[in-house]
Amino acid sequence: MTTSDFAKRYGPWALIAGASAEIGAEFAQQLAELGINLVLVARCRERMEELARQLESTHGIQVMSIEADLSQPDFMSVLEPATRSVDIGLLINNAGFGTAGGFLAHDLEREVAMLHVNCRAPLILSHVYGKRLERRGKGGIIFASSVSAYVAMPFETNYAAYKIYELFLAEALRYELAAVGIDVMALCPGIADTEFHVISGNQAVGAMPVPPLVELALGQ
């Protein structure tokens, strides 16, 4: 697909949830190179605003940064009014985190927060913005799932279960929404070179670089 064709189908704006670092930031970089304006959503305003300045200066696109905590029940009260007049053609459900170690040793509140970020948030975002894509008659949704979705993962128990949810949601929506012009995919990498492993308390052995993953997702 040419840059022009991509922008016509998935532009003029893309919304990236979990946009402040690694995979989300790389999606932002590559989409900016394709001339797509961006809505960046994450908790870290400083990182987003620095990224926004760089992308606007380098690529001449528009970037909107929205600070939102997707673990909170009311996050759409911030996101919806800010994007009401923005013509979003591509949604990237990239927000997520994990924990490593014995399930019963984990803090329950953190596990529930992970449920909200990894499952509840992409469900809500896909429903709200999916309706807008349906009205447009074209667009796309990308879920950042994981190879962990294909096998039970002791000591990453809850994380792997969440990734199954994202994978199955993406696969079923791909079938449902194809008829209304919406492309849906799940990106299921193995170990990637991100800070995810620092946050989860795990080790990244043989991690793959992020840029080729994003290139694959965007069909570049």
Side-chain angles (χ1 to χ4, degrees):
M1 185 180 296
T2 67
T3 298
S4 175
D5 289 340
F6 188 96
K8 186 180 297 184
R9 181 158 184 79
Y10 302 113
W13 289 81
L15 187 153
I16 306 173
S20 61
E22 279 96 21
I23 293 176
E26 184 62 30
F27 267 113
Q29 291 281 358
Q30 293 193 26
L31 287 169
E33 292 172 7
L34 292 167
I36 307 296
N37 301 311
L38 301 170
V39 178
L40 308 180
V41 181
R43 290 185 302 170
C44 185
R45 176 172 291 277
E46 185 176 334
R47 275 186 178 184
M48 282 193 298
E49 291 182 343
E50 180 180 351
L51 178 61
R53 286 192 294 270
Q54 181 256 310
L55 295 176
E56 288 176 332
S57 173
T58 304
H59 301 288
I61 62 165
Q62 300 177 63
V63 182
M64 178 187 300
S65 301
I66 303 175
E67 183 178 0
D69 185 347
L70 302 189
S71 71
Q72 297 304 305
D74 62 345
F75 74 87
M76 281 304 299
S77 66
V78 174
L79 202 51
E80 196 281 328
T83 62
R84 190 171 296 150
S85 61
V86 180
D87 187 12
I88 293 168
L90 180 63
L91 167 64
I92 298 175
N93 285 311
N94 176 68
F97 69 95
T99 54
F103 174 70
L104 297 181
H106 294 160
D107 176 72
L108 180 57
E109 288 189 8
R110 184 163 174 79
E111 294 297 302
V112 172
M114 186 163 63
L115 170 66
H116 289 168
V117 174
N118 291 22
C119 296
R120 181 178 179 273
L123 165 66
I124 292 172
L125 292 169
S126 298
H127 195 274
V128 171
Y129 292 102
K131 283 182 173 292
R132 291 172 58 169
L133 294 175
E134 183 181 33
R135 289 193 294 270
R136 298 174 85 245
K138 61 182 178 180
I141 303 174
I142 296 175
F143 291 84
S145 184
S146 168
V147 72
S148 299
Y150 291 96
V151 62
M153 297 283 289
F155 307 108
E156 288 188 1
T157 306
N158 216 10
Y159 171 77
Y162 295 153
K163 291 304 176 182
I164 295 170
Y165 175 79
E166 290 178 295
L167 174 62
F168 278 26
L169 182 62
E171 289 184 340
L173 285 178
R174 180 180 180 85
Y175 182 86
E176 286 188 27
L177 301 182
V180 294
I182 303 172
D183 300 323
V184 183
M185 71 164 293
L187 181 64
C188 298
I191 299 172
D193 187 15
T194 72
E195 66 182 13
F196 168 87
H197 303 281
V198 176
I199 295 171
S200 70
N202 207 346
Q203 292 186 345
V205 178
M208 63 184 73
V210 169
L213 295 177
V214 174
E215 290 173 9
L216 178 64
L218 297 179
Q220 301 304 303

